[in-house]
Amino acid sequence: MKLYCLSGHPTLPCNVLKFKSTTIMLDCGLDTTAALYFLPLPLVHSPRLSKLPGWVSKDGAVNLEKELKECSGRVFVDSQPEFCLPEKELLDLSTIDVILISNYHCMMALPYITEHTGFTGTVYATEPTLQIGRLLMEELVTFMERVPKAQAATCWKNKEIQRLLPGPLKDAVDVWSWRKCYSVQEVNSALSKVQLVGYSQKVELFGAVQVTPLSSGYSLGSSNWIIQSHYEKVSYVSGSSLLTTHPQPMEQSSLKNSDVLILTGLTQIPTANPDGMLGEFCSNLAMTIRAGGNVLVPCYSSGVIYDLLECLYQFMDSANLGSTPFYFISPVANSSLEFSQIFAEWLCQNKQSKVYLPEPPFPHAELIQTNKLKHYPSIHGDFSSEFRQPCVVFTGHPSLRFGDVVHFMELWGKSSLNTIIFTEPDFSYLDALAPYQPLAMKCVYCPIDTRLNFHQVSKLLKDIQPLHVVCPEPYTQPPPAQPHRSDLMLELQPPPMAYRRCSVLGLPFRRRYERIHLLPELARSLVPSEIKAGVSVATVSAVLQSKDNKHVLQPVPKPAPVPPSKKRKRVTEEPPEVLNPKPLLSGAVPLEPFLAMLHKNGITEVKVEETADGHILHLQTEDVLIQLEEDATHIICDNNEPLRTALRDLVLRFLQKL
């Protein structure tokens, strides 16, 4: 059993498991942090960005004025943002049989895998994961297509040129694997390969293994996966949460008794408490609104935004800010808000019960009805005429490199009354803000990440007790910025097996057993013999048929009788003669009774020598050696077949025939 690691990002995993002749991809996360190396894509012409000077090396030897621009003391790539794909060269991706998706954030690279590698398999995901994943992909495509860039920048990727560039571009890794965004056609084609599954639904893969999704408690439809055969069990835990938020709670008991547990997707900010961050978010938002400023929240169009809106729904009235408008701007804003209300069976019990009252499970339905929350596909059209300040705007993308957020950064960045609040932990907020410096607006970092922290995962692993744990390398050492914090790493016995991008791990257990079915007529012919109290065995002669990873023992076919014929026929191969098997022997030959038996049969001169494996008996008069071992008896006798046969029969008196 092998694990191929195609992604180095702990929370955007992409691994391939080879298990019992099946090849299973576990998630295909897309690392969008590569977008931070690029200039923002403004929806409205930006004089500031259009006048940026091109970059030329100090000695003038390298001139990349058309590809690279200097901005706020850093150098950025001036082309459509690109993303870091999972590794494609480590193994042949066309051999992948199935892809298991754990949540909608971990499927964003799916079109790159299914459409460009010869993939012919099936993708398994829950319905919310598929539908919200579709929204996030379509949103990403729309962001890119709204602001097309004429030229593509590739010269800077040359190794000889890249090492001459200033940081952080100089230190960017795997730049030749970066790719532009896919198209809507590729999204639709990729998602047509998805087969929907429900929690605890067992799916057979070629008769070899069974896969089962379990609720992971992180987002709508998010799953952990059990991959098991009759005698082996692998658990894949990715992006899980034990906190009480809107999704169904995490299913833990089914993860017990795992031979191997593959652990990814822990919190990216282990020192931050999500509840504390929510409180800080609300208080900073209230201070800004009271001072007459606007609040910008760069966020994804699904996920934490539902909890933020619910928190603000309760907070704004108590803070006497009930008249402040909320705007949610995204090409998929309407669909996202509607989906969250209709996937009732995937919600926690508290929200499920509201559906039967009937009440909407999320309060943002009431905010929309009372016009406190308005949603728009973009800043153009109705929004520009209905927009009033001070307000709170939720929009994407959290990287600040594309989407409507770029316009608001240009619009509000020059005033210290306004505040930008970062709630998504995927991007360094300082790197995200770099091309907008100098910035007058206030910046608040309140990352909300509900995934498991190290304390929670240590307690979980104690409860479910897997034999072996496999995890990304960063989880096995303290954070580089806090080397003294040994509590921010996994300390297990045995130590976890760590992987990084392009690792190939041999997982530490071997298949020892396989299940075989007996046909009823063969079972009826068995004659069990009791070899000790409560234990009976029987010999069987049969034909083993293996098909579709299922193994069946069938009776040995009898050769068909050949009808007599006077005509001379060509000689044909006769079926092999089926011989009755020799009986198997069980038991042990006890030394003293055996010596007594020899004496009784006239063999008196016996010299006994003790060995590590048993005893050697030297029959001196007959010049014969008998080796008595735990699992074998050897009679060494030259040119005296009658004596050898007589001694064999004496040995057989002490053994049981099967």
Side-chain angles (χ1 to χ4, degrees):
M1 181 184 290
K2 284 193 173 177
L3 186 72
Y4 297 79
C5 311
L6 311 186
S7 166
H9 199 301
T11 49
L12 296 168
C14 183
N15 298 312
V16 174
L17 178 69
K18 288 202 170 186
F19 180 28
K20 276 197 75 175
S21 73
T22 58
T23 305
I24 303 169
M25 178 174 276
L26 305 169
D27 283 329
C28 43
L30 182 65
D31 187 354
T32 51
T33 55
L36 295 174
Y37 295 98
F38 292 77
L39 276 179
L41 298 180
L43 277 172
V44 179
H45 177 73
S46 166
R48 182 183 74 87
L49 291 174
S50 62
K51 291 176 183 173
L52 292 174
W55 181 82
V56 181
S57 62
K58 288 179 181 176
D59 59 3
V62 181
N63 186 336
L64 292 175
E65 287 184 319
K66 291 185 178 178
E67 290 194 4
L68 305 179
K69 303 290 183 184
E70 290 192 57
C71 177
S72 311
R74 288 174 75 164
V75 176
F76 294 91
V77 183
D78 185 17
S79 78
Q80 187 179 357
E82 297 176 350
F83 310 120
C84 183
L85 271 55
E87 180 59 48
K88 288 186 171 184
E89 305 300 322
L90 196 59
L91 79 163
D92 182 358
L93 297 185
S94 67
T95 63
I96 290 170
D97 299 309
V98 295
I99 301 176
L100 306 181
I101 303 296
S102 58
N103 61 72
Y104 45 76
H105 287 299
C106 291
M107 66 183 293
M108 297 298 285
L110 192 63
Y112 296 113
I113 304 292
T114 61
E115 306 310 300
H116 300 286
T117 63
F119 173 79
T120 56
T122 307
V123 184
Y124 290 99
T126 62
E127 189 176 6
T129 297
L130 169 65
Q131 300 300 354
I132 297 173
R134 181 190 296 277
L135 295 184
L136 293 177
M137 288 182 190
E138 289 174 351
E139 179 186 57
L140 192 61
V141 172
T142 305
F143 284 158
M144 296 300 175
E145 292 182 349
R146 283 197 310 204
V147 190
K149 281 271 189 180
Q151 83 273 11
T154 55
C155 294
W156 73 273
K157 293 182 180 181
N158 183 297
K159 279 186 181 177
E160 295 304 312
I161 293 177
Q162 190 191 355
R163 65 187 181 84
L164 300 174
L165 300 178
L169 262 185
K170 173 183 174 180
D171 305 314
V173 294
D174 299 317
V175 294
W176 282 106
S177 71
W178 295 4
R179 292 290 179 271
K180 290 185 178 178
C181 188
Y182 33 68
S183 65
V184 172
Q185 291 78 16
E186 289 172 325
V187 170
N188 292 333
S189 177
L191 297 183
S192 70
K193 298 173 175 67
V194 176
Q195 190 168 317
L196 298 180
V197 288
Y199 288 152
S200 301
Q201 178 183 338
K202 292 176 168 54
V203 180
E204 284 271 344
L205 302 183
F206 317 113
V209 295
Q210 196 178 66
V211 297
T212 309
L214 308 170
S215 173
S216 75
Y218 170 54
S219 60
L220 280 176
S222 64
S223 312
N224 293 322
W225 289 87
I226 301 291
I227 306 156
Q228 62 187 348
S229 65
H230 295 301
Y231 297 102
E232 298 93 14
K233 179 176 179 180
V234 177
S235 296
Y236 177 58
V237 175
S238 172
S240 302
S241 176
L242 294 170
L243 300 181
T244 306
T245 55
H246 59 271
Q248 268 194 40
M250 180 182 176
E251 162 61 37
Q252 299 177 50
S253 60
S254 300
L255 299 171
K256 289 181 178 177
N257 304 317
S258 297
D259 295 294
V260 173
L261 185 138
I262 302 168
L263 178 68
T264 67
L266 301 185
T267 177
Q268 298 186 74
I269 38 157
T271 54
N273 180 322
D275 288 336
M277 291 293 108
L278 268 176
E280 210 171 304
F281 171 81
C282 290
S283 61
N284 278 286
L285 183 143
M287 278 196 310
T288 303
I289 298 295
R290 287 196 186 103
N294 303 291
V295 176
L296 178 62
V297 185
C299 61
Y300 294 112
S301 53
S302 180
V304 170
I305 185 171
Y306 305 142
D307 298 308
L308 291 177
L309 290 171
E310 184 163 0
C311 183
L312 289 174
Y313 170 78
Q314 299 161 350
F315 174 79
M316 294 302 273
D317 284 334
S318 63
N320 294 320
L321 298 169
S323 60
T324 305
F326 297 170
Y327 299 117
F328 178 21
I329 304 171
S330 164
V332 298
N334 185 45
S335 302
S336 173
L337 293 172
E338 286 181 348
F339 272 138
S340 66
Q341 303 285 21
I342 63 173
F343 285 132
E345 70 271 30
W346 305 90
L347 296 171
C348 63
Q349 196 60 45
N350 179 33
K351 293 205 175 321
Q352 276 190 32
S353 58
K354 289 186 177 182
V355 176
Y356 303 106
L357 289 178
E359 282 181 17
F362 286 96
H364 54 243
E366 188 179 325
L367 290 171
I368 292 170
Q369 287 169 1
T370 55
N371 274 335
K372 289 180 181 176
L373 172 64
K374 295 187 176 183
H375 54 84
Y376 303 91
S378 80
I379 56 172
H380 302 299
D382 292 343
F383 173 74
S384 53
S385 58
E386 297 176 9
F387 172 57
R388 63 185 179 85
Q389 307 182 75
C391 64
V392 181
V393 171
F394 297 89
T395 190
H397 184 266
S399 66
L400 307 190
R401 292 301 180 268
F402 41 86
D404 302 87
V405 71
V406 176
H407 177 70
F408 287 100
M409 288 300 297
E410 297 285 328
L411 182 69
W412 290 344
K414 299 176 185 66
S415 169
S416 58
L417 290 176
N418 304 319
T419 301
I420 178 170
I421 305 180
F422 289 90
T423 58
E424 300 289 356
D426 290 354
F427 301 91
S428 157
Y429 74 99
L430 293 174
D431 289 337
L433 291 170
Y436 300 97
Q437 301 291 3
L439 203 63
M441 75 189 301
K442 291 189 286 292
C443 168
V444 178
Y445 186 53
C446 296
I448 298 168
D449 194 337
T450 59
R451 287 173 286 205
L452 294 171
N453 60 34
F454 287 101
H455 173 71
Q456 291 169 331
V457 84
S458 296
K459 186 174 182 301
L460 173 70
L461 292 174
K462 275 182 187 170
D463 291 342
I464 61 176
Q465 294 188 325
L467 290 181
H468 303 280
V469 175
V470 180
C471 66
E473 196 173 62
Y475 296 167
T476 62
Q477 51 206 23
Q482 299 169 294
H484 60 287
R485 294 292 300 270
S486 60
D487 57 321
L488 301 182
M489 60 180 280
L490 284 178
E491 291 188 287
L492 306 172
Q493 284 303 327
M497 296 180 69
Y499 68 79
R500 56 167 76 136
R501 187 180 174 103
C502 293
S503 298
V504 181
L505 301 184
L507 297 186
F509 77 92
R510 291 181 179 176
R511 291 166 48 204
R512 292 182 295 170
Y513 300 107
E514 193 60 81
R515 180 170 289 185
I516 296 178
H517 295 274
L518 282 169
L519 288 186
E521 56 266 36
L522 187 63
R524 280 196 295 271
S525 70
L526 299 182
V527 183
S529 300
E530 189 172 38
I531 55 170
K532 62 181 181 181
V535 179
S536 296
V537 297
T539 59
V540 58
S541 296
V543 174
L544 176 63
Q545 184 192 60
S546 293
K547 184 179 179 183
D548 295 334
N549 290 299
K550 295 198 183 315
H551 312 290
V552 180
L553 281 179
Q554 302 175 335
V556 177
K558 293 176 182 174
V562 180
S565 174
K566 291 179 182 177
K567 289 184 180 178
R568 191 174 174 183
K569 288 188 176 178
R570 278 193 302 177
V571 178
T572 56
E573 276 192 38
E574 292 186 4
E577 185 183 356
V578 180
L579 301 172
N580 288 325
K582 289 183 179 179
L584 299 176
L585 303 173
S586 71
V589 181
L591 180 63
E592 293 303 327
F594 184 59
L595 289 172
M597 179 71 71
L598 290 174
H599 196 272
K600 189 177 177 182
N601 284 270
I603 301 172
T604 54
E605 291 187 34
V606 181
K607 184 181 177 184
V608 179
E609 183 183 333
E610 193 168 340
T611 66
D613 299 323
H615 296 86
I616 295 176
L617 279 57
H618 185 196
L619 282 53
Q620 293 175 321
T621 305
E622 294 80 8
D623 196 20
V624 172
L625 289 179
I626 302 176
Q627 293 177 346
L628 298 178
E629 297 173 1
E630 188 179 352
D631 55 358
T633 301
H634 302 281
I635 300 171
I636 303 165
C637 176
D638 285 337
N639 303 319
N640 194 342
E641 185 61 20
L643 177 60
R644 190 196 67 79
T645 307
L647 292 172
R648 180 200 66 188
D649 292 341
L650 292 180
V651 169
L652 289 176
R653 290 187 192 184
F654 293 94
L655 301 176
Q656 189 175 358
K657 290 183 182 179
L658 299 177

